Amino acid sequence: MMSLSEIWKDLKFVSDLKEITASQKQILEPILYQEVQARELRRMRYLMRCSGIKKIKRIEDFDWAFNPKISKSNIMPYFKSTEWIEKACNIVFIGPAGVGKSHLGESLCYKMISEHGIPAIRISCFDLIKKLKKASNKYKMINHYASVDILCLDEVGYVFPQKDQANDIFQIISKRSELVPTIITTNLVPSQWGKVFEASTATAILDRLSLNGTFITCEGRSYRSKK
């Protein structure tokens, strides 16, 4: 439980805490602590509404034994620390459909929101292209996705953006480069990105992602085959 002085500072009261009597402190502390908790809960709910996460996926529910070639030792450090966010480290999960790439990306976003209160957005490449196409102010939308603390762009490689849409995606990733981290999930190894983007655009995007980035290969069977 937070001390009254911490609560006082957090709630930004202008009056001097030293002027409060001991009996007043005893009454105020639990009331104000509940307010801090309620405020934090409201903020978490707001962040979840803005995150684009439809169904919560937790890393604790990831079945590492089903696909043992997926390196738990390389992935779990991102869940245990926020250092990668502070250093703007990009993460690219590569692998065939159904191996759990989206689960890893979404659960990492959820972990950072729920445990650290860090804003994160998960969006599929298809939905991003659709939003950009319909946007009344495309530049405002580009800046929105370019500035969020964590962006998880899911399912890159399953849709083929037009040239201007590909350029918009590049602008988002480029603006984020070295400032805030980007998570990508894709079924394509880097040498195949030219199938989705023009060669020059693919090279430019990969160049930005490679800067302070880690490419993690996810091999194995589709989890959907378990059902």
Side-chain angles (χ1 to χ4, degrees):
M1 183 172 174
M2 298 171 68
S3 68
L4 185 56
S5 59
E6 289 172 323
I7 295 172
W8 208 260
K9 183 178 179 181
D10 190 50
L11 293 178
K12 298 181 173 62
F13 286 114
V14 295
S15 55
D16 191 347
L17 181 59
K18 294 177 182 178
E19 297 175 3
I20 307 297
T21 66
S23 59
Q24 288 173 328
K25 287 180 180 179
Q26 192 173 10
I27 296 169
L28 281 172
E29 192 163 7
I31 296 172
L32 296 180
Y33 180 65
Q34 287 180 7
E35 172 57 29
V36 169
Q37 287 185 309
R39 190 177 64 170
E40 185 63 17
L41 180 59
R42 289 193 298 270
R43 182 170 184 271
M44 290 298 177
R45 286 174 175 170
Y46 171 77
L47 291 177
M48 284 302 297
R49 285 198 305 271
C50 296
S51 70
I53 297 173
K54 301 295 189 294
K55 182 180 179 181
I56 292 174
K57 295 179 180 179
R58 301 165 63 251
I59 191 59
E60 291 80 5
D61 300 323
F62 192 84
D63 188 352
W64 299 98
F66 186 75
N67 284 323
K69 287 187 178 180
I70 297 178
S71 178
K72 184 176 182 180
S73 61
N74 287 340
I75 294 170
M76 284 309 297
Y78 293 102
F79 287 86
K80 295 177 179 179
S81 170
T82 60
E83 186 178 358
W84 64 279
I85 301 171
E86 296 155 12
K87 293 182 177 180
C89 298
N90 302 313
I91 310 169
V92 181
F93 294 109
I94 306 169
V99 295
K101 305 183 302 297
S102 295
H103 188 140
L104 291 170
E106 289 187 31
S107 60
L108 186 51
C109 288
Y110 174 69
K111 185 87 167 181
M112 295 302 111
I113 292 171
S114 62
E115 294 193 6
H116 302 285
I118 299 172
I121 292 177
R122 174 269 169 198
I123 187 169
S124 70
C125 191
F126 174 83
D127 286 338
L128 178 59
I129 290 170
K130 185 168 65 174
K131 282 178 175 287
L132 288 167
K133 189 175 182 179
K134 292 182 177 181
S136 57
N137 187 333
K138 185 170 68 172
Y139 300 103
K140 183 177 180 181
M141 181 167 289
I142 287 173
N143 286 330
H144 170 66
Y145 287 108
S147 59
V148 67
D149 289 36
I150 303 170
L151 175 66
C152 177
L153 184 56
D154 199 16
E155 300 177 344
V156 172
Y158 293 94
V159 292
F160 297 84
Q162 297 175 0
K163 184 176 180 179
D164 61 330
Q165 297 164 345
N167 288 337
D168 292 340
I169 293 172
F170 165 71
Q171 288 300 323
I172 290 170
I173 292 173
S174 180
K175 286 175 179 289
R176 298 181 61 78
S177 183
E178 297 187 82
L179 298 175
V180 282
T182 303
I183 303 169
I184 301 284
T185 75
T186 179
N187 61 326
L188 302 176
V189 296
S191 61
Q192 297 175 320
W193 281 41
K195 295 179 179 179
V196 176
F197 306 102
E198 288 189 349
S200 59
T201 305
T203 300
I205 291 174
L206 286 166
D207 179 65
R208 301 306 190 279
L209 293 173
S210 298
L211 188 62
N212 207 20
T214 301
F215 289 70
I216 299 175
T217 301
C218 301
E219 298 180 79
R221 299 168 290 161
S222 171
Y223 281 94
R224 297 177 185 92
S225 67
K226 294 173 65 178
K227 300 179 181 180

